[in-house]
Amino acid sequence: MPTAHRPGLRVDAGLTIPESELSWRFSRSSGPGGQGVNTADSRAELVWDVAGSAVLSPFQRERLLERLSGRIVDGTLTIAASEHRAQLRNREAARARLAELVHDALLPPAPPRRPTRPTLGAKKRRLDAKKRRTDIKRLRRPPHD
C-alpha cells in the first residue's frame, strides 16, 4: 500500500492523520488460513503516537488521552486487525477502526439526562399488565375447595 496516493487517514472534515505518523507491524494471524498459514504475516497492527502527534490541537490531544486512557499505552494507540486472511484487508480494517475510534472519542459529551416522571397513561398500562399477569397465574393454581 504505497503512501504516494494516500495523503493520510481522514478522521473527519477537520482532522486527517498524516501517513508519516502511522506505523505498521505485521505478524502471523491465529486461526485457519490454508497453505500459507505459517508463512504469511497477515495480522496487522496500526500504531499512532497520540501524545506526539502534530496534527492535534492541545484540546483534542487532551480529550483523546482522557477518553482512550484504557487503550493508550505510553502515549501510543495500537489497533490490531486479524479478522481477514489477507494482510491488505486487515490493514484497511485497522485504518477504518482507528478513524472511527478517534472520531467517536473527539465528539462532544452528550447532554446530561433530565430526570422525568412516568406519565399517567404509562402508570395505568403498567398496572393493567400486572393485573393481567396476576389473573393468568391465579387461573393456573389448583382449585381450592
Side-chain angles (χ1 to χ4, degrees):
M1 188 172 353
T3 59
H5 70 282
R6 265 188 202 207
L9 178 62
R10 185 180 175 98
V11 175
D12 59 13
L15 179 64
T16 301
I17 302 170
E19 288 292 328
S20 59
E21 291 189 7
L22 301 174
S23 62
W24 293 95
R25 284 194 303 245
F26 303 103
S27 61
R28 293 195 187 120
S29 185
S30 63
Q35 290 177 328
V37 71
N38 293 325
T39 58
D41 289 340
S42 61
R43 180 177 188 266
E45 283 186 15
L46 179 57
V47 181
W48 179 43
D49 184 13
V50 178
S53 178
V55 295
L56 295 174
S57 69
F59 175 75
Q60 289 175 326
R61 183 176 294 107
E62 184 181 324
R63 183 173 271 184
L64 281 174
L65 289 172
E66 177 189 324
R67 290 199 177 162
L68 300 176
S69 62
R71 297 198 60 168
I72 294 179
V73 178
D74 295 331
T76 61
L77 177 63
T78 304
I79 305 291
S82 61
E83 58 265 17
H84 303 289
R85 286 177 59 175
Q87 185 191 97
L88 184 63
R89 290 186 67 193
N90 283 329
R91 288 175 75 143
E92 291 168 356
R95 287 176 62 91
R97 210 175 299 154
L98 176 65
E100 182 183 0
L101 188 69
V102 172
H103 178 267
D104 290 346
L106 287 175
L107 289 176
R113 182 190 172 275
R114 285 183 30 223
T116 58
R117 289 196 172 130
T119 63
L120 206 58
K123 286 182 184 177
K124 185 175 180 343
R125 285 190 298 274
R126 183 179 64 86
L127 292 175
D128 288 346
K130 286 177 70 149
K131 213 172 282 183
R132 276 194 304 275
R133 191 75 186 145
T134 303
D135 292 342
I136 288 171
K137 290 192 172 214
R138 188 179 304 126
L139 288 172
R140 290 183 188 156
R141 286 191 216 150
H144 110 60
D145 298 316

